[in-house]
Amino acid sequence: MSTITVSTPTPTELVMSRTFNAPKELVFAAHTEAEHLRHWWGRGNPLDVSIDFRVGGKWRFVETSDGQEHAFRGEFREISAPDSYTWTFEYEPMAGHVLVEKFVFTEEDGKTTVTASSTFDSQEDRDGMLQSGMEAGANQSYAALDAYLLKIG
């Protein structure tokens, strides 16, 4: 099973990378289309997805877990399908702590690597994200994506 590689190249940056056994176009679609996202994002928990995938378009995901709702939102800044997109990311209960995240999709021999580079306003915000359990949650979400890709691949 593949896991996410996490690095912190600068005090305000966090980079996560993960490889999937699926073609780039499918992995990109799984990251950007509501009908796919609801099957894996949020660790595979029930997810309400609202997404307007265009530059300037807004997105909002509400994950339901342990009887609680966790809402995330942002806006798309750049899109170069199926190679990359950039969005803002904000956890609603911590409003005002907005990061900018760029996803890059590269394919080699039918496998796709997703690299997400997140830029935070401060090292404190970046470290807070690291300490929030983000890495474990991302690993769980991407394990759910692995299972979903097997179903639809």
Side-chain angles (χ1 to χ4, degrees), residues 88-146:
T88 59
F89 181 96
E90 181 178 22
Y91 180 51
E92 287 184 5
M94 298 191 68
H97 296 272
V98 180
L99 62 104
V100 176
E101 192 165 41
K102 180 173 186 168
F103 289 82
V104 176
F105 300 77
T106 54
E107 183 177 344
E108 186 175 332
D109 299 326
K111 294 183 182 206
T112 302
T113 299
V114 180
T115 303
S117 302
S118 303
T119 304
F120 296 80
D121 286 335
S122 67
Q123 184 173 349
E124 180 181 45
D125 280 359
R126 185 207 62 191
D127 292 350
M129 177 73 84
L130 282 167
Q131 294 162 7
S132 74
M134 169 274 319
E135 185 175 351
N139 270 315
Q140 291 169 355
S141 290
Y142 273 169
L145 178 54
D146 274 332

Side-chain angles (χ1 to χ4, degrees), residues 1 4 18-24 26-33 35-45 85 103 105 112-114 137-153:
M1 181 175 100
I4 290 178
R18 172 74 149 65
T19 301
F20 298 91
N21 191 19
K24 176 169 62 172
L26 184 59
V27 177
F28 187 87
H31 278 75
T32 59
E33 297 175 13
E35 62 266 26
H36 297 308
L37 283 158
R38 61 178 51 98
H39 291 278
W40 69 269
W41 205 94
R43 303 170 292 167
N45 289 318
Y85 69 89
F103 289 82
F105 300 77
T112 302
T113 299
V114 180
N139 270 315
Q140 291 169 355
S141 290
Y142 273 169
L145 178 54
D146 274 332
Y148 180 66
L149 289 169
L150 280 174
K151 287 182 193 172
I152 66 168

Side-chain angles (χ1 to χ4, degrees), residues 23-68:
K24 176 169 62 172
E25 288 77 8
L26 184 59
V27 177
F28 187 87
H31 278 75
T32 59
E33 297 175 13
E35 62 266 26
H36 297 308
L37 283 158
R38 61 178 51 98
H39 291 278
W40 69 269
W41 205 94
R43 303 170 292 167
N45 289 318
L47 188 71
D48 178 42
V49 176
S50 170
I51 186 168
D52 179 9
F53 189 64
R54 62 181 176 84
V55 173
K58 308 243 187 267
W59 66 271
R60 185 171 188 259
F61 305 158
V62 181
E63 173 193 1
T64 303
S65 137
D66 299 325
Q68 295 185 2

Side-chain angles (χ1 to χ4, degrees), residues 7-11 13-15 126:
S7 64
T8 52
T10 71
E13 194 176 10
L14 171 69
V15 177
R126 185 207 62 191

